[in-house]
Amino acid sequence: MADLTGAPVAAPGSHVGSRAEYAARVLEQLAERAQPGERLGTKVSLRPACGVSVGTFNEAVKLAQSRGWIVSRSGPGGGIFAAERSAVVRLGNSVLALDGDAPSVADAVRMRDALDPLLVEDAVWHSSAIDVREMRDRLRDMANARDDGDPVAFVRANWALHRKIAEVSPSVILRSVYLSLLDIVQAHTRGVGGTETSPLPRYIAERYLLHERLVDAIEAREHDAAQRLIREHNNTAKAR
């Protein structure tokens, strides 16, 4: 079986990902093929297709729902439904599924990108050892999400890293504006998918390495290298 990006999905019990992750991807694929709002079935009818226990299936439902692919409803006429996806916005070689106005979120992403070089400059000159350690904690979260094959967790850990970089800035106005823009993007993102031209796992791996090098440059106070990397970061994010 292939995942939403075309990469193989590991069978239950495989070393790649957990059984809950496998089951969540099965549900996500069903939702992707269905019409928004379409009923996929009940937990009882869908669980055999995933080949997992009741507890593991419930965990998978929570995973798929947190990523914005499905909605679980209880009571008469309830079950598992494909989530409504009213808007999308391109973020590099990935697509964010949104619950709000795509143009507004795209504007927030564009303005956030424009402020990145200023915040990275401040991070180079003002980051303490504790700040850098916290940045590396966020990198570790990104690496774990990458290894788990969880694009939503990866994007959120990525945003957490950028949030930490922004918090280093001594400029109250710059911090406030940037974090407000980031909040807009985060609040409206329901899921993450790949594109036809770029498998999401490869894109995630490349983005992780770029951010790792960026934190290295910040720690070493290598201003020119950090600015080059953030330009590469934002140019890649604009790629179509």
Side-chain angles (χ1 to χ4, degrees):
M1 180 178 294
D3 69 8
L4 300 180
T5 68
V9 172
S14 166
H15 67 285
V16 182
S18 68
R19 295 172 68 87
E21 178 63 35
Y22 167 83
R25 292 189 186 185
V26 172
L27 294 174
E28 289 164 6
Q29 286 186 323
L30 291 173
E32 185 186 34
R33 292 194 291 267
Q35 294 297 314
E38 182 179 343
R39 190 172 187 268
L40 304 179
T42 65
K43 289 184 177 181
V44 172
S45 67
L46 291 172
R47 186 171 65 84
C50 299
V52 295
S53 67
V54 172
T56 300
F57 184 78
N58 288 336
E59 182 181 350
V61 169
K62 291 179 182 178
L63 281 172
Q65 186 162 256
S66 71
R67 298 172 189 168
W69 287 102
I70 65 170
V71 175
S72 178
R73 299 172 186 157
S74 58
I80 296 177
F81 299 79
E84 297 284 347
R85 296 177 178 273
S86 59
V88 297
V89 64
R90 185 73 172 264
L91 184 66
N93 290 324
S94 66
V95 175
L96 302 183
L98 310 172
D99 64 1
D101 181 25
S104 295
V105 176
D107 280 345
V109 170
R110 185 169 62 91
M111 289 186 283
R112 190 208 67 170
D113 288 349
L115 296 179
D116 271 330
L118 294 174
L119 289 161
V120 166
E121 181 174 10
D122 283 352
V124 167
W125 301 124
H126 298 283
S127 292
S128 67
I130 293 175
D131 290 327
V132 172
R133 185 160 63 246
E134 291 180 359
M135 291 177 199
R136 294 204 181 279
D137 287 342
R138 303 292 78 75
L139 278 173
R140 189 178 307 112
D141 293 339
M142 290 171 66
N144 289 338
R146 175 201 62 194
D147 295 342
D148 290 342
D150 188 340
V152 172
F154 181 86
V155 168
R156 295 195 181 280
N158 184 354
W159 287 332
L161 171 59
H162 281 276
R163 181 176 294 275
K164 178 58 196 176
I165 291 173
E167 289 171 349
V168 172
S169 175
S171 171
V172 176
I173 294 176
L174 180 58
R175 281 200 319 268
S176 176
V177 171
Y178 185 90
L179 294 177
S180 295
L181 293 169
L182 192 57
D183 286 342
I184 291 172
V185 180
Q186 287 182 285
H188 292 292
T189 298
R190 294 175 54 182
V192 182
T195 67
E196 295 181 358
T197 58
S198 181
L200 195 55
R202 185 180 68 193
Y203 174 72
I204 286 176
E206 292 171 351
R207 297 298 279 181
Y208 173 80
L209 291 175
L210 192 153
H211 284 84
E212 184 178 49
R213 290 159 57 203
L214 177 62
V215 173
D216 288 344
I218 290 172
E219 182 176 27
R221 303 203 188 282
E222 295 177 350
H223 176 271
D224 291 347
Q227 289 299 319
R228 175 177 52 78
L229 287 165
I230 198 62
R231 286 195 300 270
E232 180 182 344
H233 171 280
N234 289 343
N235 286 338
T236 303
K238 295 182 181 67
R240 292 293 186 270

